Amino acid sequence: MSITTREHDVSDIRLAGAGADKIAWAGREMPVLRGIAERFRTERPLSGVRIGACLHVTAETANLAIVLRDGGASIALAASNPLSTQDDVAAALAAREGIAVFARKGEDRDTYYAHINAVLATAPQITMDDGADLVTELHTKRRELLPGVRGGTEETTTGVTRLRAMAAEGVLSYPIVAVNDAFTKHLFDNRFGTGQSAVDGILRATNLLLAGRTVAVVGHGWVGRGIASRMRGMGAIVLVCEVDPLRALEAAMDGFEVTTIVDAAKRAELFVTATGNVNVIGKDAIAALRDGAILANAGHFNDEIDLAHLTAIATACREVRPFVREYRLKNGRSVVVLADGRLVNLAAAEGHPAAVMDMSFANQALAVEHLAKKAKELKPQVYPVPREIDERIAASKLAAMGMRIDEMSEEQRLYAASWKSGT
Ligand code: NAD
Ligand code: ADE
């Protein structure tokens, strides 16, 4: 599909009213971002900066986009997943907030990339990505735009992995701040955010009872830990599959049964992948699955379940409920895949709650401000969020939650920095 207008491409602009209400509702849970907005409106630190963003188009992202616009930036926004767009929110941003949105829930692959290219056509000076598709498109197909780009941010683990690979090969053209790696991002968003919203997506799609059900969580990183703990909280019997012995050991001592994917395939009724890796539910595991097994993915790309193999060995395939596709297999069993193997929390539910995106997107806003000031001093590498930003966000969130903490006394500060006193 080709985009003919530079203004927007959304599913239904008449949804703007509902979208505006949804954006305002989410905003109530985002006090840290609100504080940044107040400062941005007076200081205008992004005055005249063109931002090109590829993020999930949700009510939380809308609040971020509005803050950046209030800071003086102009913003073009495309979706970072074909299924994650909230069409009412996209309509509200386009119709009421002056943000150039190119996103429709359910868009095909060609439209997904046409939308990214519509954003790139605005010649962004700062890029914001969730998964590095925009950066990849820029570095492979739109290289003529690279000299105009000052810096970028990256939201998720998989994106940071891809950018580090680009930097290691010497092909990254501009500095990128790894928002994912901030403590106030991955400790909360990846773990508690995905932990809750992946369960939410699975339940909205299936209305399954989790209590007493055997669930396998594949990957025990930040996302996997969160999902495993929330599944257990709902009464599921949780198996964990890992390839990293340290994380597997952690899972075991957290009280989960650790086992291989093929063993889990023989026993579990529901699977959730969260590895950022490819075909983690591959041919061997698929062959061992129980009749009726349900497969969901919470990792960034729809590569974690070998859907090509599943399709090849299926005799029939049909959507039995929204986001629920049943494959009838030659071996007589059926396997159910949620949301076409795409991020189940964003496709079948609304993504993370705003209270957690508050911190992720405070990091994004402050990282963009940092780049607007400092990009000239940075090399084309992947940079951490400055520690001082991370600490400011944590302090601000705690204050908004009404929690107070102690400060070290002078005696304690000296003690903590010395080596002389001991037993
Ligand atoms: P992480 O690196 O902390 O964890 C990934 C884990 O998967 C690691 O422990 C790794 O050893 C394990 N793993 C890799 N290959 C495996 C295999 N074949 N079998 C079993 N385990 C395997 O990463 P993370 O922060 O937990 O992120 C995981 C994925 O989730 C990434 O793709 C990330 O981008 C995505 N993510 C999604 C959301 C969301 O909203 N759904 C939010 C944050 C991150
Ligand atoms: N990633 C996970 N949840 C999200 C949300 N609610 N908005 C934007 N990106 C997200």
Side-chain angles (χ1 to χ4, degrees):
M1 178 198 160
S2 67
I3 304 297
T4 49
T5 167
R6 281 168 57 109
E7 260 109 63
H8 63 255
D9 184 44
V10 301
S11 287
D12 186 352
I13 204 74
R14 291 168 303 179
L15 299 175
D21 286 345
K22 204 187 251 184
I23 294 168
W25 178 254
R28 291 157 60 131
E29 289 283 305
M30 304 181 90
V32 182
L33 201 59
R34 250 194 332 270
I36 295 170
E38 274 164 33
R39 181 169 66 76
F40 273 21
R41 277 195 289 272
T42 19
E43 294 178 10
R44 305 273 293 172
L46 308 178
S47 212
V49 176
R50 288 189 305 277
I51 296 178
C54 178
L55 300 168
H56 301 296
V57 181
T58 64
E60 293 73 31
T61 301
N63 277 282
L64 169 64
I66 290 166
V67 171
L68 298 171
R69 183 210 57 197
D70 288 354
S74 63
I75 302 156
L77 172 65
S80 55
N81 185 291
L83 284 184
S84 62
T85 297
Q86 295 169 4
D87 285 325
D88 49 2
V89 167
L93 283 177
R96 302 190 175 194
E97 303 293 349
I99 288 162
V101 185
F102 304 93
R104 294 166 175 260
K105 189 172 178 98
E107 62 196 18
D108 62 19
R109 191 173 186 278
D110 286 351
T111 309
Y112 175 79
Y113 277 103
H115 283 160
I116 287 180
N117 275 287
V119 167
L120 291 177
T122 65
Q125 295 161 309
I126 290 183
T127 64
M128 301 177 76
D129 226 338
D130 184 330
D133 280 346
L134 183 140
V135 169
T136 304
E137 192 73 0
L138 190 52
H139 280 73
T140 51
K141 308 217 177 88
R142 303 300 302 273
R143 295 191 60 81
E144 77 283 3
L145 297 170
L146 282 170
V149 185
R150 293 193 224 157
T153 64
E154 171 51 54
E155 170 78 3
T156 199
T157 317
T158 285
V160 172
T161 304
R162 294 175 79 191
L163 292 166
R164 290 226 162 87
M166 288 176 78
E169 276 181 35
V171 297
L172 186 65
S173 288
Y174 58 89
I176 303 216
V177 177
V179 166
N180 181 72
D181 295 358
F183 290 105
T184 46
K185 200 283 183 179
H186 67 270
L187 287 183
F188 305 96
D189 169 315
N190 300 28
R191 184 166 44 160
F192 302 121
T194 323
Q196 178 167 317
S197 61
V199 170
D200 185 16
I202 290 164
L203 296 187
R204 288 198 206 190
T206 62
N207 197 24
L208 219 61
L209 179 70
L210 292 176
R213 200 170 292 269
T214 303
V215 177
V217 180
V218 190
H220 202 67
W222 293 108
V223 171
R225 288 177 182 112
I227 296 171
S229 98
R230 268 37 187 169
M231 285 287 178
R232 176 158 65 188
M234 297 287 280
I237 300 152
V238 180
L239 312 178
V240 168
C241 305
E242 247 299 341
V243 290
D244 176 338
L246 290 170
R247 287 191 159 171
L249 185 60
E250 183 190 346
M253 295 221 180
D254 260 339
F256 298 109
E257 182 184 338
V258 173
T259 188
T260 64
I261 186 70
V262 172
D263 179 55
K266 294 176 191 155
R267 296 158 58 199
E269 300 160 276
L270 168 65
F271 291 76
V272 193
T273 54
T275 67
N277 212 337
V278 66
N279 293 336
V280 296
I281 302 187
K283 291 190 179 67
D284 292 347
I286 288 173
L289 287 173
R290 293 171 54 161
D291 185 30
I294 298 175
L295 313 182
N297 170 46
H300 186 77
F301 286 119
N302 61 335
D303 290 340
E304 305 215 8
I305 302 164
D306 190 346
L307 291 175
H309 178 65
L310 208 47
T311 307
I313 62 168
T315 54
C317 171
R318 80 183 178 99
E319 189 172 65
V320 292
R321 283 165 62 100
F323 306 111
V324 183
R325 197 178 294 282
E326 182 180 43
Y327 292 75
R328 295 230 149 259
L329 305 187
K330 289 172 191 158
N331 65 12
R333 296 182 202 150
S334 84
V335 170
V336 172
V337 176
L338 304 188
D340 294 332
R342 296 196 187 276
L343 295 163
V344 72
N345 60 325
L346 282 138
E350 295 169 66
H352 304 348
V356 85
M357 294 314 294
D358 188 26
M359 289 184 282
S360 309
F361 285 168
N363 274 291
Q364 285 282 6
L366 297 180
V368 168
E369 181 186 30
H370 174 72
L371 284 167
K373 283 190 194 139
K374 301 266 178 180
K376 278 201 195 101
E377 298 164 29
L378 303 176
K379 298 195 178 76
Q381 287 170 5
V382 179
Y383 285 89
V385 171
R387 174 82 189 189
E388 168 281 302
I389 289 183
D390 221 350
E391 285 177 3
R392 235 195 305 156
I393 292 171
S396 167
K397 189 72 176 175
L398 276 170
M401 292 166 80
M403 300 204 184
R404 295 180 304 139
I405 59 171
D406 294 312
E407 262 184 49
M408 275 200 232
S409 65
E410 187 53 23
E411 180 196 19
Q412 288 168 341
R413 236 188 303 278
L414 289 172
Y415 181 88
S418 74
W419 59 274
K420 288 188 178 148
S421 43
T423 313

mmCIF file of all heavy atoms in Angstrom, residues 51 71 175 333 365 417:
data_model
loop_
_atom_site.group_PDB
_atom_site.id
_atom_site.type_symbol
_atom_site.label_atom_id
_atom_site.label_comp_id
_atom_site.label_asym_id
_atom_site.label_seq_id
_atom_site.Cartn_x
_atom_site.Cartn_y
_atom_site.Cartn_z
ATOM 1 N N ILE A 51 10.734 14.462 15.399
ATOM 2 C CA ILE A 51 10.876 13.108 15.953
ATOM 3 C C ILE A 51 10.111 12.134 15.069
ATOM 4 O O ILE A 51 8.956 12.379 14.701
ATOM 5 C CB ILE A 51 10.314 13.045 17.397
ATOM 6 C CG1 ILE A 51 11.139 13.942 18.323
ATOM 7 C CG2 ILE A 51 10.310 11.607 17.913
ATOM 8 C CD1 ILE A 51 10.634 13.993 19.761
ATOM 9 N N GLY A 71 6.776 19.747 24.461
ATOM 10 C CA GLY A 71 8.165 20.182 24.631
ATOM 11 C C GLY A 71 8.716 20.863 23.390
ATOM 12 O O GLY A 71 9.882 21.240 23.351
ATOM 13 N N PRO A 175 24.097 7.767 17.515
ATOM 14 C CA PRO A 175 23.987 7.241 18.891
ATOM 15 C C PRO A 175 22.543 6.904 19.266
ATOM 16 O O PRO A 175 21.624 7.638 18.914
ATOM 17 C CB PRO A 175 24.486 8.405 19.759
ATOM 18 C CG PRO A 175 24.305 9.630 18.931
ATOM 19 C CD PRO A 175 24.449 9.205 17.496
ATOM 20 N N ARG A 333 -4.237 -34.376 16.506
ATOM 21 C CA ARG A 333 -4.400 -33.447 17.623
ATOM 22 C C ARG A 333 -4.690 -32.030 17.106
ATOM 23 O O ARG A 333 -4.491 -31.759 15.926
ATOM 24 C CB ARG A 333 -3.110 -33.396 18.451
ATOM 25 C CG ARG A 333 -2.815 -34.729 19.095
ATOM 26 C CD ARG A 333 -1.564 -34.654 19.948
ATOM 27 N NE ARG A 333 -1.038 -35.993 20.115
ATOM 28 C CZ ARG A 333 0.238 -36.289 20.268
ATOM 29 N NH1 ARG A 333 1.145 -35.355 20.285
ATOM 30 N NH2 ARG A 333 0.618 -37.533 20.420
ATOM 31 N N ALA A 365 11.088 10.205 27.374
ATOM 32 C CA ALA A 365 11.030 11.669 27.240
ATOM 33 C C ALA A 365 12.364 12.295 27.652
ATOM 34 O O ALA A 365 12.894 13.180 26.965
ATOM 35 C CB ALA A 365 9.887 12.225 28.090
ATOM 36 N N ALA A 417 31.892 4.341 52.256
ATOM 37 C CA ALA A 417 32.937 4.614 51.266
ATOM 38 C C ALA A 417 34.321 4.189 51.760
ATOM 39 O O ALA A 417 35.315 4.348 51.064
ATOM 40 C CB ALA A 417 32.939 6.113 50.951
#
